[in-house]
Amino acid sequence: MRIVIVGGVAAGMSAASRARRFSKDAEIVVLDRGEWVSYGACGLPYVLGGDVDDFESLVARTPAQMRARGIGVHLNTEVTGIDAAARTLTVRDGAAGRTTTEPYDRLLIATGVSPVRPEWAVTDLGGVHVLKDIPDGQAIQASLEGAKRACIVGGGYIGLELAENFRARGLSVVMLEKGPDIAGRVLDHDFQRRVREVVEQQGVDVRCGTTVTGLTGRGGRVTGVQTDDGRVRADVVVVAVGVKPNVALAKAAGARIGKTGAVAVNARQETTVDGIYAAGDNTEATHRVTRRKAHIPLGLTANRMGRVAGVNMAGGDATFPGILGTGIFKVFELGVARTGLTQADADALGLKAHSVDVSSTDHASYYADARPIHVRLTAERGTGRLLGTQIVAHNHHSAKRVDVVAAFLQQRATVQDLFDSDLSYAPPFSSVWDVLLVAADRLHRELRAG
Amino acid sequence: MRIVIVGGVAAGMSAASRARRFSKDAEIVVLDRGEWVSYGACGLPYVLGGDVDDFESLVARTPAQMRARGIGVHLNTEVTGIDAAARTLTVRDGAAGRTTTEPYDRLLIATGVSPVRPEWAVTDLGGVHVLKDIPDGQAIQASLEGAKRACIVGGGYIGLELAENFRARGLSVVMLEKGPDIAGRVLDHDFQRRVREVVEQQGVDVRCGTTVTGLTGRGGRVTGVQTDDGRVRADVVVVAVGVKPNVALAKAAGARIGKTGAVAVNARQETTVDGIYAAGDNTEATHRVTRRKAHIPLGLTANRMGRVAGVNMAGGDATFPGILGTGIFKVFELGVARTGLTQADADALGLKAHSVDVSSTDHASYYADARPIHVRLTAERGTGRLLGTQIVAHNHHSAKRVDVVAAFLQQRATVQDLFDSDLSYAPPFSSVWDVLLVAADRLHRELRAG
């Protein structure tokens, strides 16, 4: 049994480790087109600001460590073709400059996503970056030497994490967002201002509704960003306007691509092609609230998919439980989190949903360092079923309460169930009636009142 | 309709507020034998250490504010007798020195608990205290003036909270505990050392297996504590060896007292006597894991019971959902939490339970300020049903993860359900595989292996 895994970061390495644990005999080979495998990509922004010491710290296991565990790791190795009938791959070894044919019995496509690069961002100018992998991070790090002005294009969570870390280095930061507000894919529109307020207080010049049209440069280096509302001077530009799943290999193999644009799989992470699995950011999943397919690339999801694929490729039987789209990020003092559906998500799906907004302090208001926490809680009218929550917390760690709602969503519980929950209380940790309970109480009453 | 509430702290005031909201017409009267009502008793230790500014800060609503909402509040007023057939109370007004008879249509007994005072602690010596209410806190505050040596008798959570706050004031602290370890009612024995280590590192002289036999004093002030292992010098002694429910009034009314020693009620908080309700620390509840009666006096439980009683006394229909015994406390840098059953609890109930211990960091180990977190997770063999968890976290706020397990316990979920949960992840908040997921994975495997 030869298991070949294409892509050696979250999903790929989880699959390799799990397959190795499950099967003593299988040959397991990981092919990655880059030079780094098995690292925590979510930590990249923090190396730039200093909360993570260096890029090496992000590496969970080196190729040597993987090999010692009986997992073959080939870097600089790109899969350029596939013959799914013959179960062979065409593989180009970048270092040796050689192309070979590799057989497989089970193949995992864990090729992740690529950052979207608008046409204006395809450039030879130095100082223009995306942030997806360690080489991207290293390139930004190098560009930051002596830089004073950063321009971040895109107000999603990666852009916001970068803004915090650039400010930590003392740079001036302009954030350009095409849409009406920042954090637009995470929070409902009218809940986003709570994030924007803090980001602006921290000195980030946020310009929403602004479209980038081009770049300016001198001597091969970027000097600014042209927008429909004038030019923004910048020594460093990072483009963080979204990602697209890397599905070329899956397509070439004849695997079905879902309506979400990501690779379609069953609960065993099998694609529609026999012997070929997919896992990670390039793969869609079933959303446990909507029971529809969704493409929400996140770290735990990728690792879990990889784990399931690894077990199954090695002859076991594991199933992926689905996702709730639970996400969290830190931006300056804020923790921002959501799980399940926003009100806008529910509206778009035609669900009859109702939301309440509650503001409180994260712990007893009389105890030191109590800070505001804002919660939006959403449920279905009629049934009272919980649909989702959004949290903005000024003690960032308090946004982790989102997991309590995720636990209830998973069980398809009601607002009453959440209100009935016996949550922990002591003054340094929460109010007697935690903000989640206050929100559940209010939502329950408003749902009953119609 | 005349609603009389005996006891004006957590349960009593929740009941009064809720009854007022529910009924515009009822007359609502709160009788309290003390001078303070509607305050957060859980905050008392923190006034002593300075994390709470003063005792007044603990007050949620003053009697004047309650009266403005149409709730009569009578301080210094003790109920000395009851005629349940006639629905009257004998009431002594301490200020006026007068005894009257008060009628009621609905009566709530929310008389709370009293600290246990061993025989040796019944003394006229100054400097010997318990900590239950604001006057107790004020008396300790006064004793601390010029004090250098504190002795805390009892290693439960109140004793531990006091130890932190006394150390914050620079006092030397000796903690005497009769049992084999501290935090004995919260954590399994072999899990407690993690707490003890930190408490000792912070300079508290912890002496377990030590029985107090008496006090020494001079000039009317305490000078030390006599034990079976010698004398401990002390200017201030706080006795925190447990509480007992105040059930005298309920007994006098003919209400059934449960095997737990607390007042027995149904889910509507009704005692066995018509028209008489009980709520709060004096009242037992159904444990949602064991489905047996339990007496675990905690702040949220008291408030929730009061709320249910308040609605029902005012003619509504509310039910108390039961408890999980979810508790949390801070001691120095540690957050210590538990929900559901410990391994020892499960063993005592004859359940076939199995536990795993997992240690990790509370957030990504490469991100700044990652600190250890230790989790014990317990489930039932055969069914895989979750029974409980215990958490000791060095970033104290991370112990709040206990609520995720509480949410699953409430739904009678399995270890697999917990493992399948889509928890939030970003490096400043957790590891990709949060310690709860790692624990669930390991427990699931060990249960399957038998």
Side-chain angles (χ1 to χ4, degrees):
Chain A
M1 165 74 78
R2 187 167 205 257
I3 294 171
V4 176
I5 294 167
V6 184
V9 191
M13 278 306 178
S14 294
S17 294
R18 193 49 51 160
R20 182 75 295 159
R21 226 194 237 208
F22 201 87
S23 162
K24 296 277 166 275
D25 309 321
E27 182 189 356
I28 302 171
V29 179
V30 177
L31 312 178
D32 196 282
R33 65 181 176 183
E35 306 226 3
W36 296 84
V37 291
S38 185
Y39 61 90
C42 302
L44 289 168
Y46 300 101
V47 181
L48 303 173
D51 282 324
V52 174
D53 291 338
D54 49 38
F55 291 105
E56 286 74 15
S57 302
L58 301 179
V59 175
R61 290 202 188 85
T62 63
Q65 287 169 325
M66 299 299 286
R67 286 178 198 124
R69 297 182 63 205
I71 297 167
V73 178
H74 301 278
L75 306 178
N76 284 311
T77 301
E78 191 160 13
V79 176
T80 57
I82 182 165
D83 182 337
R87 300 208 177 190
T88 59
L89 299 171
T90 309
V91 173
R92 203 172 66 81
D93 180 331
R98 193 176 50 196
T99 295
T100 56
T101 300
E102 294 276 343
Y104 68 84
D105 296 301
R106 301 277 183 276
L107 176 70
L108 176 65
I109 301 177
T111 45
V113 290
S114 291
V116 170
R117 262 194 198 261
E119 209 168 309
W120 59 260
V122 181
T123 175
D124 290 331
L125 287 175
V128 182
H129 303 278
V130 292
L131 179 58
K132 174 58 191 32
D133 54 24
I134 287 181
D136 293 335
Q138 292 171 321
I140 295 174
Q141 185 85 288
S143 280
L144 289 175
E145 290 298 319
K148 289 182 180 156
R149 293 184 184 84
C151 179
I152 297 166
V153 183
Y157 71 88
I158 293 176
L160 289 165
E161 288 171 347
L162 281 169
E164 175 188 344
N165 283 286
F166 286 173
R167 290 295 294 147
R169 290 180 66 128
L171 277 80
S172 76
V173 177
V174 177
M175 172 169 277
L176 303 177
E177 165 60 45
K178 195 169 60 177
D181 218 328
I182 57 177
R185 291 188 59 186
V186 179
L187 304 180
D188 277 327
H189 178 62
D190 49 347
F191 206 65
Q192 290 156 9
R193 66 176 171 84
R194 302 195 175 283
V195 179
R196 183 166 178 173
E197 278 167 15
V198 167
V199 171
E200 290 182 336
Q201 278 161 16
Q202 294 291 335
V204 177
D205 179 355
V206 178
R207 304 187 193 172
C208 291
T210 304
T211 301
V212 175
T213 54
L215 298 166
T216 61
R218 192 167 50 219
R221 298 277 313 171
V222 73
T223 55
V225 177
Q226 297 281 13
T227 80
D228 58 359
D229 191 33
R231 176 168 170 267
V232 176
R233 290 177 63 189
D235 315 311
V236 179
V237 176
V238 184
V239 183
V241 296
V243 294
K244 56 175 191 294
N246 295 324
V247 297
L249 180 60
K251 264 189 185 162
R256 191 167 76 79
I257 308 302
K259 281 182 192 158
T260 65
V263 184
V265 291
N266 63 16
R268 287 171 47 88
Q269 297 302 134
E270 293 166 333
T271 69
T272 52
V273 179
D274 207 35
I276 302 183
Y277 297 72
D281 289 355
N282 61 338
T283 306
E284 62 181 27
T286 302
H287 196 292
R288 295 181 81 150
V289 173
T290 65
R291 293 188 169 152
R292 298 181 188 211
K293 295 296 177 187
H295 178 235
I296 307 175
L298 287 167
L300 175 59
T301 301
N303 276 270
R304 196 190 289 276
M305 284 179 168
R307 188 185 150 104
V308 169
V311 169
N312 290 333
M313 289 191 296
D317 187 21
T319 56
F320 184 78
I323 59 171
L324 293 165
T326 313
I328 195 165
F329 67 89
K330 178 178 180 296
V331 56
F332 300 105
E333 71 190 43
L334 293 184
V336 181
R338 63 83 59 89
T339 187
L341 309 182
T342 60
Q343 178 71 42
D345 291 338
D347 291 346
L349 287 161
L351 290 167
K352 289 195 172 114
H354 181 62
S355 297
V356 293
D357 291 353
V358 171
S359 293
S360 180
T361 51
D362 63 321
H363 59 250
S365 56
Y366 56 71
Y367 184 87
D369 302 325
R371 301 280 288 133
I373 183 167
H374 309 284
V375 169
R376 172 168 291 187
L377 189 67
T378 305
E380 190 176 43
R381 290 183 190 276
T383 64
R385 182 164 69 99
L386 282 170
L387 295 176
T389 197
Q390 300 162 60
I391 301 179
V392 175
H394 287 253
N395 272 333
H396 75 270
H397 54 78
S398 298
K400 201 78 174 79
R401 277 167 168 73
V402 72
D403 292 343
V404 176
V405 178
F408 280 108
L409 285 179
Q410 179 177 332
Q411 311 279 317
R412 300 184 88 75
T414 64
V415 176
Q416 177 78 51
D417 292 324
L418 174 58
F419 178 69
D420 283 348
S421 60
D422 191 10
L423 305 185
S424 58
Y425 160 64
F429 298 90
S430 70
S431 305
V432 179
W433 292 100
D434 187 83
V435 61
L436 290 181
L437 299 177
V438 176
D441 183 34
R442 189 176 305 169
L443 183 51
H444 185 65
R445 275 188 282 123
E446 291 189 11
L447 286 173
R448 285 210 300 194
Chain B
M1 166 75 77
R2 187 166 204 256
I3 294 172
V4 175
I5 294 167
V6 184
V9 192
M13 277 308 178
S14 294
S17 294
R18 193 50 50 161
R20 181 75 294 155
R21 228 195 236 207
F22 201 87
S23 162
K24 297 277 166 275
D25 308 321
E27 182 188 355
I28 302 171
V29 179
V30 177
L31 312 177
D32 196 283
R33 65 181 175 184
E35 305 226 2
W36 296 84
V37 290
S38 185
Y39 61 89
C42 301
L44 289 167
Y46 301 101
V47 180
L48 303 173
D51 282 325
V52 175
D53 291 339
D54 49 38
F55 292 105
E56 286 73 15
S57 302
L58 301 179
V59 175
R61 289 201 188 84
T62 62
Q65 286 169 326
M66 298 299 285
R67 285 178 199 123
R69 297 182 61 205
I71 297 167
V73 178
H74 301 278
L75 306 178
N76 284 311
T77 301
E78 190 160 13
V79 176
T80 57
I82 182 165
D83 183 337
R87 300 209 177 190
T88 59
L89 299 170
T90 310
V91 173
R92 203 172 66 81
D93 180 332
R98 195 176 49 196
T99 296
T100 56
T101 299
E102 294 275 343
Y104 68 83
D105 296 301
R106 301 277 183 275
L107 176 70
L108 176 64
I109 301 178
T111 45
V113 290
S114 291
V116 170
R117 263 194 198 260
E119 209 168 310
W120 59 259
V122 181
T123 176
D124 290 331
L125 287 174
V128 181
H129 303 278
V130 293
L131 180 58
K132 173 59 191 34
D133 54 25
I134 287 182
D136 292 336
Q138 291 171 320
I140 297 174
Q141 185 84 290
S143 281
L144 290 175
E145 290 298 318
K148 288 183 180 154
R149 294 184 184 83
C151 179
I152 297 166
V153 183
Y157 71 89
I158 293 175
L160 290 165
E161 289 171 345
L162 281 169
E164 175 188 346
N165 284 286
F166 286 173
R167 290 295 294 147
R169 290 181 67 128
L171 276 80
S172 76
V173 178
V174 177
M175 173 169 277
L176 303 177
E177 167 59 45
K178 195 168 60 177
D181 219 329
I182 56 177
R185 291 188 59 185
V186 179
L187 304 180
D188 276 328
H189 178 62
D190 50 346
F191 206 65
Q192 288 156 11
R193 65 177 172 83
R194 301 194 176 283
V195 179
R196 184 166 177 172
E197 278 166 16
V198 167
V199 171
E200 291 182 338
Q201 279 161 15
Q202 294 291 335
V204 178
D205 180 355
V206 178
R207 304 187 193 172
C208 292
T210 304
T211 301
V212 175
T213 56
L215 299 166
T216 60
R218 192 168 49 219
R221 296 277 313 171
V222 72
T223 56
V225 177
Q226 296 282 12
T227 80
D228 58 359
D229 191 32
R231 177 168 169 267
V232 175
R233 289 176 64 189
D235 315 311
V236 179
V237 176
V238 184
V239 183
V241 296
V243 294
K244 56 176 191 295
N246 296 324
V247 297
L249 180 59
K251 263 188 183 163
R256 190 167 77 78
I257 308 303
K259 282 182 191 158
T260 66
V263 184
V265 291
N266 63 16
R268 288 172 46 86
Q269 299 300 136
E270 293 167 333
T271 69
T272 51
V273 179
D274 207 36
I276 302 184
Y277 297 71
D281 290 354
N282 62 336
T283 305
E284 62 180 28
T286 302
H287 197 292
R288 295 181 83 150
V289 173
T290 65
R291 293 186 168 152
R292 298 179 187 213
K293 294 296 177 186
H295 178 235
I296 307 175
L298 287 167
L300 176 59
T301 301
N303 276 270
R304 196 188 290 275
M305 284 178 168
R307 188 185 148 104
V308 169
V311 169
N312 290 333
M313 288 192 296
D317 187 21
T319 56
F320 184 78
I323 60 171
L324 294 165
T326 313
I328 196 165
F329 67 89
K330 177 178 180 297
V331 57
F332 299 107
E333 70 190 43
L334 293 184
V336 181
R338 64 82 60 89
T339 187
L341 308 183
T342 61
Q343 178 70 43
D345 291 339
D347 292 345
L349 287 162
L351 290 167
K352 289 195 173 114
H354 182 62
S355 296
V356 294
D357 290 353
V358 171
S359 293
S360 180
T361 50
D362 63 321
H363 59 251
S365 56
Y366 56 71
Y367 183 87
D369 302 325
R371 301 280 289 133
I373 182 168
H374 309 284
V375 169
R376 171 167 292 187
L377 190 67
T378 304
E380 189 175 44
R381 290 183 190 276
T383 64
R385 182 163 68 99
L386 282 170
L387 295 176
T389 198
Q390 300 161 59
I391 301 179
V392 175
H394 287 252
N395 272 333
H396 76 270
H397 55 77
S398 298
K400 202 77 173 82
R401 279 165 166 72
V402 71
D403 292 344
V404 175
V405 178
F408 280 107
L409 285 179
Q410 179 177 332
Q411 311 280 317
R412 300 185 87 75
T414 65
V415 177
Q416 178 78 51
D417 292 326
L418 174 58
F419 179 69
D420 283 347
S421 60
D422 191 11
L423 304 184
S424 57
Y425 161 63
F429 298 91
S430 69
S431 305
V432 179
W433 293 101
D434 187 83
V435 61
L436 290 181
L437 299 177
V438 176
D441 183 33
R442 188 175 306 168
L443 183 51
H444 185 63
R445 277 188 281 123
E446 292 190 12
L447 287 174
R448 284 211 301 193

